């Protein structure tokens, strides 16, 4: 998801038995140089880091406090150079060079130390304070999920399909509608010189629903294919 526009540009689905981390590699093909990929500490693993950074995108991930990050070199902005290795690489023969940023939020009673690692090893290119402030934009993805599940789908949403293919079709249908709405919001905000975050998704959704006068009321399973293969 793009933090600035809330546009979902890649998605992967799977059965309940499949852990979400196993779905991540299918998304990496959408990354490219010039992209900054942020991820929470639940997204871990040396091989996944190597695969994501291999796309040419820059990474900014939060890591758990038990991850060993040896000190190599200190920078003036408070960050330091380190490296990570695969769990099986006890001799540290194939390390990946990273930069570590550690900070607290300064709230009373909150002593949580946030640890970020990034592929951007030059502090002049991205100072530690800038990356720390930027990382918290990652939580915009939670707002996006709320837009799709709570507002667009409704609090009592139940997918009508009873088969995996149909369920997957409905999920991507929701994502496509959300992308269309966010695209309209992005262009509107751009024309008005506003940040897309300043526009209300719920109001945009209501306006779109008022303009949709003819909604499909049939099940995809009962739709008969057209005898003409070139006709939709």
């Amino acid at each position: 998801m793009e933090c600035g526009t809330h546009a979902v540009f890649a998605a992967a689905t799977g059965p309940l038995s499949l852990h979400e981390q196993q779905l991540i590699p299918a998304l990496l093909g959408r990354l490219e140089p010039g992209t900054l990929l942020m991820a929470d500490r639940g997204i871990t693993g040396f091989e996944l880091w190597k695969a994501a950074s291999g796309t040419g995108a820059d990474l900014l991930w939060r890591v758990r406090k038990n991850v060993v990050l040896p000190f190599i070199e200190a920078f003036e902005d408070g960050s330091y150079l380190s490296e990570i290795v695969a769990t099986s690489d006890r001799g540290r023969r194939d390390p990946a060079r990273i930069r570590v940023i550690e900070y607290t939020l300064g709230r009373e009673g909150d002593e949580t130390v946030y640890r970020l690692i990034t592929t951007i090893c030059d502090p002049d290119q991205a100072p530690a304070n800038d990356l720390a402030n930027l990382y918290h934009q990652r939580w915009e993805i939670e707002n996006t999920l709320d837009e799709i599940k709570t507002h667009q789908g409704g609090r009592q949403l139940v997918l009508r399909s009873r088969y995996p293919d149909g369920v997957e079709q409905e999920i991507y249908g929701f994502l496509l509608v959300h992308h269309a709405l966010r695209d309209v919001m992005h262009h509107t905000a751009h024309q008005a010189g506003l940040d897309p975050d300043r526009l209300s998704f719920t109001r945009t959704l209501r306006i779109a629903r008022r303009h949709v006068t003819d909604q499909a009321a049939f099940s995809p399973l009962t739709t008969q294919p057209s005898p003409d293969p070139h006709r939709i």
Side-chain angles (χ1 to χ4, degrees), residues 30 35 51 55 62-63 95-96 119 128 142 152-153 164 176-177 180 185 221:
R30 296 302 307 273
T35 301
T55 64
R62 186 182 176 190
V63 295
T119 55
E142 302 298 336
Q152 182 181 327
L176 288 170
V177 170
M185 294 173 66
L221 295 179

Side-chain angles (χ1 to χ4, degrees), residues 153-173:
R155 295 184 180 276
Q156 303 299 321
L157 170 67
V158 177
L159 298 179
R160 61 181 177 173
S161 299
R162 292 179 290 177
Y163 302 94
D165 289 346
V167 170
E168 188 173 40
Q169 183 184 52
E170 287 188 70
I171 290 173
Y172 281 103

Side-chain angles (χ1 to χ4, degrees), residues 88-123:
S88 59
D89 187 6
R90 300 185 181 276
R92 308 185 74 85
R93 294 181 297 273
D94 183 29
R97 188 61 58 95
I98 61 166
R99 180 166 147 241
V100 183
I101 301 166
E102 297 181 342
Y103 62 96
T104 62
L105 296 180
R107 294 189 296 228
E108 184 177 354
D110 184 3
E111 299 179 355
T112 303
V113 176
Y114 290 82
R115 305 174 77 203
L116 307 180
I117 61 174
T118 178
T119 55
I120 307 174
C121 293
D122 183 359

Side-chain angles (χ1 to χ4, degrees), residues 168-187:
E168 188 173 40
Q169 183 184 52
E170 287 188 70
I171 290 173
Y172 281 103
F174 274 104
L175 293 176
L176 288 170
V177 170
H178 180 269
H179 193 282
L181 293 173
R182 273 292 168 183
D183 184 64
V184 170
M185 294 173 66
H186 171 70
H187 286 291

Side-chain angles (χ1 to χ4, degrees), residues 57-68:
D58 288 310
L59 311 183
L60 180 64
W61 294 7
R62 186 182 176 190
V63 295
R64 294 184 173 90
K65 60 183 179 180
N66 62 345
V67 175
V68 178

Side-chain angles (χ1 to χ4, degrees), residues 145-158 173-175 177-178 180-181 184-185 200-216:
L145 293 176
D146 180 69
E147 292 170 359
I148 298 172
K149 295 167 64 176
T150 303
H151 299 288
Q152 182 181 327
R155 295 184 180 276
Q156 303 299 321
L157 170 67
V158 177
F174 274 104
L175 293 176
V177 170
H178 180 269
L181 293 173
V184 170
M185 294 173 66
S200 169
F201 177 80
T202 54
R203 296 184 68 178
T204 303
L205 180 62
R206 293 193 194 105
I207 293 172
R209 283 174 172 167
R210 287 199 298 267
H211 283 76
V212 177
T213 59
D214 186 17
Q215 299 186 24

Side-chain angles (χ1 to χ4, degrees), residues 16 22 38 65 90 134 141 143 149 185 192 203:
L16 185 62
Q22 296 175 268
M38 296 185 287
K65 60 183 179 180
R90 300 185 181 276
L134 183 62
I141 195 171
N143 295 331
K149 295 167 64 176
M185 294 173 66
R203 296 184 68 178

